[in-house]
Amino acid sequence: MRPIVGITSYVEPASWGVWIDQDAALIRKSYVDAVTAAGARAVILPPDDTDADVLRALDALIIAGGADLGPDLYGEEPGPLTDSRPDRDRGESLLLQAALRTDLPVLGICRGMQLLAVTCGGRLHQHLPDVVGSDKHRPGPGVYGWHGITLEPGSLAAEVAGDGPEGDGRVEVNTYHHQGVADPGSLTVTAWADDGVVEAVEDPTKPFVLGVQWHPEEAGERRIFESLVDAAARAA
């Protein structure tokens, strides 16, 4: 039996067929394709803050990308450019806290990495251009930025992202975010962009807890999902 991997999802207005601007629970199919290609069954999880009981049916959890985290999660007021989804914040926080308590393998992608950091006591920069002086992490609406990162040797992030073409732990990644991790809390930072922005965090005390700021599901990076599914199979 294939491991079952839950993927958190958006609730956003969407249109299909004759239905226009309907509220829909959705996620980009690239997440599902990446999990399926890695040998697991993907299950999409809409926001739900009633309980975390669904984790009993899962072998791993992916906290997907999406809108900004509400800064109330780390004790700040929202900035002028912060665009949050409180329903996702509540539901995903509940799932993530329970997953961490039970050592369920967890992968956080983009927003998911930021939620990992905040859940572990960290905080965010609400608008990175104010910190680094450029828009390179999100060049424009729907446009991914590409830039180099440096990975910590021996880390889980380095294991799943590779050593790069020069074998020096530097790889190119695709990013789309205007917020970033200012403080990782109890997590360990294991990758950085050239401008110092945190690109990966992990918990080396857990079987598999990893957050990446880039989008491996869009770049066709198989190894990170295969590693998650391997961890899920071991935990099942």
Side-chain angles (χ1 to χ4, degrees):
M1 180 177 175
R2 289 181 292 170
I4 300 173
V5 178
I7 308 170
T8 61
S9 67
Y10 314 71
V11 171
E12 300 285 351
S15 301
W16 65 97
V18 299
W19 309 108
I20 308 299
D21 289 336
Q22 303 293 307
D23 283 346
L26 53 85
I27 194 69
R28 290 178 70 108
K29 190 169 179 285
S30 54
Y31 286 97
V32 175
D33 290 344
V35 168
T36 303
R41 158 69 84 170
V43 175
I44 297 174
L45 307 173
D48 184 338
D49 64 356
T50 301
D51 56 52
D53 290 355
V54 69
L55 296 183
R56 298 174 188 169
L58 302 180
D59 299 306
L61 176 66
I62 294 175
I63 306 291
D68 302 333
L69 292 184
D72 58 296
L73 293 177
Y74 47 97
E76 294 185 9
E77 293 296 318
L81 298 176
T82 297
D83 179 23
S84 61
R85 299 292 185 275
D87 59 336
R88 282 196 71 179
D89 291 349
R90 293 190 301 269
E92 291 181 352
S93 293
L94 187 69
L95 288 178
L96 182 54
Q97 290 167 19
L100 294 174
R101 285 196 303 270
T102 58
D103 286 345
L104 191 75
V106 174
L107 172 63
I109 294 176
C110 196
R111 167 195 162 92
M113 184 190 92
Q114 296 167 10
L115 182 61
L116 261 175
V118 168
T119 300
C120 292
R123 60 183 181 84
L124 305 183
H125 297 299
Q126 289 194 48
H127 190 54
L128 275 178
D130 293 341
V131 179
V132 301
S134 80
D135 293 318
K136 78 173 189 177
H137 295 275
R138 189 179 70 176
V143 178
Y144 286 95
W146 282 88
H147 59 78
I149 65 170
T150 300
L151 296 143
E152 180 69 25
S155 65
L156 178 57
E159 178 184 325
V160 301
D163 293 326
E166 304 299 324
D168 57 359
R170 287 183 53 81
V171 299
E172 290 284 315
V173 296
N174 59 335
T175 57
Y176 188 78
H177 62 106
H178 81 110
Q179 297 197 325
V181 170
D183 176 356
S186 62
L187 298 175
T188 300
V189 177
T190 52
W192 303 261
D194 295 340
D195 56 12
V197 170
V198 173
E199 291 288 336
V201 294
E202 56 193 77
D203 185 344
T205 70
K206 300 283 188 180
F208 191 108
V209 172
L210 174 66
V212 297
Q213 189 61 77
W214 67 92
H215 284 273
E217 78 287 354
E218 293 297 324
E221 295 178 27
R222 294 282 184 88
R223 192 186 310 183
I224 189 168
F225 296 98
E226 291 168 349
S227 295
L228 177 69
V229 171
D230 286 347
R234 291 193 300 269

